[in-house]
Amino acid sequence: MQATEPLTHDRVLAERARYVSAGVSTPRLVVASADGARVTDVDGRVFVDFAGGIGCQNTGHRFAPVVDAVHRQVDEYLHQCFMVGIYEPYVDTCRLLAELSPCAGAQQKSILVNSGAEANENAVKIARAATGRPAVIVFDNAFHGRTLLTMTMTSKVHPYKAGFGPFAPEVYRAPAPYPYRGVSTDDAIAGLERLFKSEVDPETVACVLLEPVQGEGGFVPMTADFPRRLAEVCAEQGILYVDDEVQSGVGRTGKMWAIEHYDGVEPDLLVSGKSIGGGLPLAAVTGRAELMDAVPPGGLGGTFGGNPLSCAAAIAVLEAVREPEFLEGATRLGEALRARLDALAAAHPSIGDVRGLGPMIAFELAERTPDRAKAIVDAAFERGLLLLACGLYGNVIRLLPALTIADEELEEGLALLEESLAAVDG
Ligand code: PLP
């Protein structure tokens, strides 16, 4: 687009259609700026943002400590490649991840990469190298990314898998608890045991990967005892437990990592991403030194992984989120959201379930089609609220406001949500 031509909504949409692959699904929003819990479009319309770039803005758009840190970093250097020149922000990000790690083991180490999918790929590589075993177990409703291995691990055919096979070998799927749809902890554990009988020898399994709150799959929190019982099975069988917290991490549930809500489980590897970079691309795998050092030098890495700008941002994010007041604020936000969604569910029989962990919260519509959820998202957009649907059936509305959202903004967003639901339900 020529700099002299005015930046209008229609113009950007037309040029998007002309130049950008249709394979990336896009909304009608054309962003001009964003701040805190709000996004402004090129026509000057201001939206309350309950999407956060899909869970990447737990600290809000342009979080001041992130902006300051990035500005300082821009004046020093932009890129080095950690395999060419070591730089302190990378090491410091890994130090913070070690200090905050929920994983088992005294000494924690990390590798930094660009995306959640890349981090999950690396977690599998590390688990395979550390155990000498090939197989990977994932769960129903999982989302782990869009690369060949991670789309194989992801549990949704359209749009993530259809037409993209053949898939990666040695990936097996077990049931995950989903009480609202009738799957209990016992069912899930029984399904895993059956998998060991019918499909895969547990002695060949390197790792399981599990989201403590399944994100794209519909904001389904694991039942209170499932992670512990899964960890017990893993310990018996010598299988590593990989905790995918790309969406549930960095304060999203009111704790630094969602797995901290669950007793009796210390994962072997933690996968983080999204909000950790405060809006810049960053993801990580963290775990005890013995596992993280199982891969020989050169086996892990990548040109841009742990880019200095992303690391400067991540340090600012992690320092802020680890503060007890930040997490207390997030917990209060979760309580406020829960109360409002429960009231909404009481008034709307179309809502079948309200669920979540702290401020990682959603409601599932009783009918298993995406139509009503899509209508709600559209109605919200018309009224100035950015919302996202999720779930295997696309019938879950998830709320991902900045954890720093002001009370008035939250109220405004929730009022718009109520109006949107009323408009769709009639
Ligand atoms: N894992 C989880 C739990 C996610 O929610 C996502 C993205 O939504 C990913 C992995 C993939 O992350 P990315 O899109 O950064 O590759």
Side-chain angles (χ1 to χ4, degrees):
M1 195 174 303
Q2 299 299 311
T4 50
E5 290 168 358
L7 183 65
T8 65
H9 194 260
D10 290 348
R11 177 160 189 78
V12 178
L13 284 189
E15 302 218 355
R16 179 260 180 266
R18 168 82 179 78
Y19 294 115
V20 183
S21 163
V24 189
S25 92
T26 44
R28 281 172 293 157
L29 175 70
V30 181
V31 177
S33 64
D35 203 51
R38 293 195 188 262
V39 172
T40 304
D41 79 1
V42 289
D43 298 331
R45 279 191 75 198
V46 181
F47 294 82
V48 178
D49 184 8
F50 277 8
I54 317 193
C56 295
Q57 300 292 346
N58 288 354
T59 50
H61 293 281
R62 300 181 66 253
F63 184 50
V66 166
V67 172
D68 291 347
V70 170
H71 278 154
R72 280 196 303 276
Q73 187 58 47
V74 164
D75 288 337
E76 290 176 4
Y77 50 89
L78 299 180
H79 171 71
Q80 293 299 321
C81 186
F82 199 64
M83 296 174 293
V84 173
I86 293 176
Y87 43 91
E88 214 255 339
Y90 188 119
V91 180
D92 214 27
T93 303
C94 295
R95 173 186 62 80
L96 282 163
L97 284 167
E99 288 175 12
L100 299 168
S101 174
C103 295
Q107 189 193 352
Q108 298 284 309
K109 293 188 169 189
S110 295
I111 162 99
L112 304 183
V113 294
N114 301 292
S115 70
E118 194 186 354
N120 278 324
E121 294 253 353
N122 277 280
V124 170
K125 283 169 66 176
I126 292 163
R128 284 177 170 165
T131 60
R133 300 169 169 197
V136 174
I137 291 179
V138 290
F139 293 87
D140 284 342
N141 303 308
F143 184 90
H144 296 298
R146 287 182 161 92
T147 57
L148 175 59
L149 176 59
T150 59
M151 78 165 165
T152 306
M153 302 194 305
T154 285
S155 165
K156 188 167 179 174
V157 172
H158 286 282
Y160 303 129
K161 299 166 84 121
F164 299 139
F167 299 103
E170 292 298 331
V171 175
Y172 301 89
R173 192 172 307 284
Y178 193 163
Y180 174 59
R181 296 291 181 188
V183 187
S184 67
T185 306
D186 284 346
D187 297 333
I189 293 289
L192 181 64
E193 301 290 0
R194 198 163 47 243
L195 194 72
F196 290 154
K197 291 278 178 221
S198 64
E199 299 291 335
V200 59
D201 179 355
E203 290 190 0
T204 68
V205 179
C207 62
V208 300
L209 278 95
L210 179 67
E211 301 155 79
V213 182
Q214 294 180 312
E216 300 305 304
F219 273 37
V220 187
M222 291 300 98
T223 45
D225 54 346
F226 184 67
R228 174 184 55 77
R229 288 182 61 187
L230 177 63
E232 284 166 7
V233 174
C234 288
E236 273 161 31
Q237 303 287 0
I239 297 169
L240 299 179
Y241 185 125
V242 181
D243 179 33
D244 180 350
E245 298 245 12
V246 169
Q247 193 155 168
S248 61
V250 201
R252 187 70 245 168
T253 65
K255 295 195 187 279
M256 179 59 79
W257 310 111
I259 199 71
E260 295 168 32
H261 289 275
Y262 293 89
D263 290 335
V265 51
E266 281 185 326
D268 295 297
L269 296 173
L270 168 79
V271 176
S272 56
K274 288 192 184 275
S275 276
I276 198 174
L280 275 78
L282 189 73
V285 185
T286 301
R288 61 183 174 277
E290 164 204 335
L291 301 176
M292 297 300 295
D293 291 342
V295 181
L300 304 178
T303 303
F304 281 114
N307 175 267
L309 295 180
S310 301
C311 290
I315 293 163
V317 166
L318 291 171
E319 295 283 20
V321 175
R322 77 187 303 183
E323 288 300 322
E325 306 84 76
F326 188 97
L327 292 172
E328 282 156 21
T331 301
R332 278 195 302 278
L333 172 64
E335 287 159 5
L337 289 170
R338 166 71 68 165
R340 286 297 281 273
L341 291 192
D342 282 344
L344 217 54
H348 290 268
S350 60
I351 298 179
D353 193 28
V354 175
R355 58 171 179 260
L357 208 47
M360 184 169 183
I361 195 162
F363 58 89
E364 175 165 352
L365 300 169
E367 69 184 32
R368 272 180 159 172
T369 76
D371 306 340
R372 190 182 290 264
K374 197 177 168 317
I376 294 168
V377 170
D378 288 346
F381 183 81
E382 293 309 322
R383 289 165 176 75
L385 173 67
L386 301 180
L387 269 187
L388 292 172
C390 61
L392 190 59
Y393 295 89
N395 62 338
V396 180
I397 301 282
R398 56 178 149 174
L399 308 189
L400 286 165
L403 301 173
T404 52
I405 191 169
D407 290 348
E408 321 77 72
E409 290 172 318
L410 179 66
E411 185 48 46
E412 190 183 328
L414 289 169
L416 293 172
L417 175 63
E418 281 168 13
E419 277 177 35
S420 310
L421 249 167
V424 171
D425 277 357

